[in-house]
Amino acid sequence: MKIPDKITANCPSCHKHVIHNVRINRKGKESTLSRGRRKYTEVKKGYGGSPRTPKKPVYKVGKRTVLILECSNCKKKHQRIFEARTKKPIEVTS
Ligand SMILES: [Zn+2]
C-alpha cells in the first residue's frame, strides 16, 4: 500500500491542522543491556534451555504500521498508528 509523504493533520502543540511530513517508524535492534534482558539471562543460567514455559504464539494476518508525523510549522513529531493490518509493507510516495 502507498501513502503520500505530506498529509494535513492536527498538530497537538500548534492546535490546528497543518501539513506534516510522513515517515515510517522502523523497529530498531533490541538492546542487550536493558534491565529485562539482563534479568532474563540471569534467570536462564544453569538450565539447558529456558526455565519458563514458552508463550503460545498468536497468529495475526499482517502487521500494523506506526507513522511518524513531523509538523512543518513547529517541527515537533508525533505518532499515528495506521489501524489497518497490511501483509505488504507500506510505502511512502511523493
Ligand atoms: Zn506544530
Side-chain angles (χ1 to χ4, degrees):
M1 192 178 177
K2 289 171 183 173
I3 50 163
D5 64 343
K6 282 185 173 65
I7 58 169
T8 313
N10 180 50
C11 177
S13 28
C14 301
H15 302 289
K16 59 185 176 183
H17 275 72
V18 279
I19 294 170
H20 283 71
N21 292 320
V22 183
R23 188 161 67 79
I24 290 167
N25 189 18
R26 308 252 179 234
K27 200 184 174 188
K29 205 180 173 187
E30 192 182 285
S31 169
T32 52
L33 288 171
S34 66
R35 180 73 195 104
R37 179 53 59 191
R38 278 183 284 145
K39 191 178 178 184
Y40 189 59
T41 49
E42 191 68 29
V43 166
K44 269 206 308 191
K45 260 182 194 172
Y47 292 86
S50 174
R52 296 175 186 165
T53 50
K55 271 186 185 173
K56 223 177 183 184
V58 180
Y59 296 106
K60 302 241 168 153
V61 179
K63 280 188 174 176
R64 279 185 178 152
T65 316
V66 177
L67 304 175
I68 294 177
L69 305 180
E70 193 190 49
C71 177
S72 59
N73 200 14
C74 64
K75 301 284 177 195
K76 281 192 177 174
K77 290 169 196 159
H78 59 272
Q79 291 186 346
R80 177 186 280 184
I81 298 168
F82 196 82
E83 288 291 329
R85 291 183 180 270
T86 51
K87 286 183 181 175
K88 287 180 181 174
I90 289 176
E91 290 175 47
V92 177
T93 52
S94 55

